[in-house]
Amino acid sequence: MLAAVEHGPILCSDSNILCLSWKGRVPKSEKDKPVCRRRYYEEGWLATGNGRGVVGVTFTSSHCRRDRSTPQRINFNLRGHNSEVVLVRWNEPFQKLATCDMEGGIFVWIQYEGRWSVELVNDRGAQVSDFTWSHDGTQALIAYRDGFVLVGSVSGQRHWSSEINLESQITCGIWTPDDQQVLFGTADGQVIVMDCHGRMLAHVLLHESDGIVSMSWNCPDFLVEDSTESDTDSDDNILPLVRRVKPLLTVTFLSGDISLMNNYDDLSPAIIRSGLKDVEAQWCSQGDLLAVAGMEKHGLPVDTACASIMRNALVKFYNVQGEHIYTLETPAQ
């Protein structure tokens, strides 16, 4: 693996980028399937949401092969939100993009004949905590800060909804890898488990003094049919995908600690002490490396004397055992 920071004015934005989502490039026609998963992860589309309410969609690639064709247009700006865009989520199987703004507006975009347009709009007038597609792309899970949760189809029909009465806010929601259960994390360290029909299954306290920020699994976000026939079409010396028998549940806490769990009721998880604040964590597509980004902490009291200390943004990499592999320093402060 290579980790590096690129510099240059073309890599800067004129507005704060608040969220990111990337998807692999999928062939447009059915005759091109199944896709080569290696090549699928080498080029694709990066969606960003910014502070001006604009969603950017940009073609990206990580290979150096000039013989690969690129799309006719490689950059789009999608407008329609009236406030900051705080969530962007690709649906790779259906090639759709969901975006959420600060006021709770949700748009689902679809590309047709080279243009992006809004297919669905949902607005409860309440702030959205999280939006997650199921692994087969057919369902969407929406969690709101006021405790309302909703599961609907990719075409917009509501399957079920529920009001979860808590003293704390729901901060995130995810599907289990088999799409049979949904898990919700709360700001007071709890995990709430429901089945895919909305029935309550479990209520587990993971940490009584540390809020949950996000949850994820170290398995692919979506089910993509894989072809081994076209492996030679990929760049050389790429390692084969790591297949874990049981995916790891990754729970990120407000303190910067991260738990690697076999399931939500794992009594002895591996704990990562990242030493960072405002943490974002994401597994690589192979599921064997976890990237943890955040601002470094200074063990100093917060007062007027040290309030102006510059903190560096770091990206730390860990393996599935929670062992630290590498730290990438960035020029951001």
Side-chain angles (χ1 to χ4, degrees), residues 131-250:
F131 184 110
T132 313
W133 296 105
S134 59
H135 292 82
D136 62 3
T138 62
Q139 299 180 87
L141 170 66
I142 309 172
Y144 292 88
R145 292 188 182 275
D146 61 5
F148 186 79
V149 297
L150 166 70
V151 168
S153 72
V154 67
S155 56
Q157 285 81 28
R158 179 180 297 197
H159 288 173
W160 60 266
S161 61
S162 181
E163 191 83 37
I164 301 177
N165 296 316
L166 296 170
E167 295 180 359
S168 181
Q169 289 185 339
I170 292 177
T171 56
C172 57
I174 59 169
W175 297 84
T176 52
D178 60 3
D179 291 335
Q180 294 303 301
Q181 297 176 358
V182 290
L183 278 59
F184 300 99
T186 71
D188 59 357
Q190 300 180 69
V191 171
I192 298 164
V193 186
M194 304 176 77
D195 69 12
C196 59
H197 304 292
R199 289 186 290 264
M200 186 71 70
L201 298 179
H203 204 139
V204 182
L205 178 63
L206 296 188
H207 204 305
E208 59 184 11
S209 60
D210 202 356
I212 296 174
V213 176
S214 64
M215 297 188 293
S216 62
W217 301 91
N218 70 328
C219 62
D221 291 335
F222 295 100
L223 304 174
V224 179
E225 188 178 1
D226 194 13
S227 169
T228 56
E229 297 177 0
S230 53
D231 281 354
T232 55
D233 192 33
S234 178
D235 289 348
D236 294 334
N237 58 41
I238 295 178
L239 295 176
L241 296 181
V242 175
R243 302 293 185 189
R244 284 188 56 86
V245 175
K246 190 175 180 64
L248 282 175
L249 173 62
T250 308

Side-chain angles (χ1 to χ4, degrees), residues 276-290:
L276 303 175
K277 69 172 196 171
D278 302 329
V279 165
E280 294 278 349
Q282 186 172 3
W283 288 97
C284 73
S285 58
Q286 294 165 309
D288 59 346
L289 278 179
L290 178 68

Side-chain angles (χ1 to χ4, degrees), residues 54 130 166 171 181 226 241 254 266 272 306 309:
V54 179
D130 207 353
L166 296 170
T171 56
Q181 297 176 358
D226 194 13
L241 296 181
L254 189 61
D266 188 351
I272 294 174
C306 67
I309 291 178

Side-chain angles (χ1 to χ4, degrees), residues 1-310:
M1 175 184 171
L2 171 68
V5 178
E6 293 188 43
H7 300 269
I10 196 171
L11 302 172
C12 298
S13 169
D14 60 357
S15 180
N16 288 341
I17 295 175
L18 306 179
C19 49
L20 299 167
S21 181
W22 187 90
K23 78 172 182 73
R25 189 183 186 191
V26 176
K28 292 182 178 179
S29 60
E30 292 293 327
K31 66 181 181 180
D32 290 334
K33 294 183 179 181
V35 300
C36 171
R37 189 181 287 269
R38 286 183 179 176
R39 177 170 175 175
Y40 171 78
Y41 285 131
E42 289 177 354
E43 52 188 33
W45 295 89
L46 177 69
T48 63
N50 70 23
R52 294 183 179 179
V54 179
V55 178
V57 178
T58 304
F59 182 74
T60 64
S61 64
S62 62
H63 60 76
C64 302
R65 299 179 60 170
R66 298 182 182 275
D67 58 334
R68 295 272 183 86
S69 62
T70 59
Q72 187 173 3
R73 183 175 174 183
I74 61 172
N75 195 57
F76 298 85
N77 289 319
L78 314 184
R79 304 177 189 274
H81 287 285
N82 295 319
S83 59
E84 297 176 345
V85 178
V86 294
L87 283 172
V88 287
R89 296 283 190 271
W90 284 111
N91 182 329
E92 293 177 344
F94 288 85
Q95 296 290 281
K96 296 183 179 183
L97 174 66
T99 60
C100 309
D101 61 39
M102 183 67 75
E103 296 175 353
I106 302 174
F107 290 6
V108 176
W109 306 79
I110 190 167
Q111 189 178 26
Y112 180 70
E113 293 185 349
R115 296 180 177 232
W116 285 94
S117 60
V118 177
E119 183 185 45
L120 297 170
V121 177
N122 184 305
D123 192 349
R124 276 189 67 241
Q127 287 190 334
V128 176
S129 294
D130 207 353
F131 184 110
T132 313
W133 296 105
S134 59
H135 292 82
D136 62 3
T138 62
Q139 299 180 87
L141 170 66
I142 309 172
Y144 292 88
R145 292 188 182 275
D146 61 5
F148 186 79
V149 297
L150 166 70
V151 168
S153 72
V154 67
S155 56
Q157 285 81 28
R158 179 180 297 197
H159 288 173
W160 60 266
S161 61
S162 181
E163 191 83 37
I164 301 177
N165 296 316
L166 296 170
E167 295 180 359
S168 181
Q169 289 185 339
I170 292 177
T171 56
C172 57
I174 59 169
W175 297 84
T176 52
D178 60 3
D179 291 335
Q180 294 303 301
Q181 297 176 358
V182 290
L183 278 59
F184 300 99
T186 71
D188 59 357
Q190 300 180 69
V191 171
I192 298 164
V193 186
M194 304 176 77
D195 69 12
C196 59
H197 304 292
R199 289 186 290 264
M200 186 71 70
L201 298 179
H203 204 139
V204 182
L205 178 63
L206 296 188
H207 204 305
E208 59 184 11
S209 60
D210 202 356
I212 296 174
V213 176
S214 64
M215 297 188 293
S216 62
W217 301 91
N218 70 328
C219 62
D221 291 335
F222 295 100
L223 304 174
V224 179
E225 188 178 1
D226 194 13
S227 169
T228 56
E229 297 177 0
S230 53
D231 281 354
T232 55
D233 192 33
S234 178
D235 289 348
D236 294 334
N237 58 41
I238 295 178
L239 295 176
L241 296 181
V242 175
R243 302 293 185 189
R244 284 188 56 86
V245 175
K246 190 175 180 64
L248 282 175
L249 173 62
T250 308
V251 182
T252 303
F253 293 94
L254 189 61
S255 64
D257 291 351
I258 299 171
S259 291
L260 305 181
M261 312 174 69
N262 290 318
N263 204 352
Y264 61 82
D265 55 0
D266 188 351
L267 298 179
S268 56
I271 306 294
I272 294 174
R273 313 282 186 190
S274 72
L276 303 175
K277 69 172 196 171
D278 302 329
V279 165
E280 294 278 349
Q282 186 172 3
W283 288 97
C284 73
S285 58
Q286 294 165 309
D288 59 346
L289 278 179
L290 178 68
V292 180
M295 305 301 292
E296 64 178 344
K297 294 179 180 178
H298 293 298
L300 299 172
V302 178
D303 55 28
T304 53
C306 67
S308 60
I309 291 178
M310 302 302 285

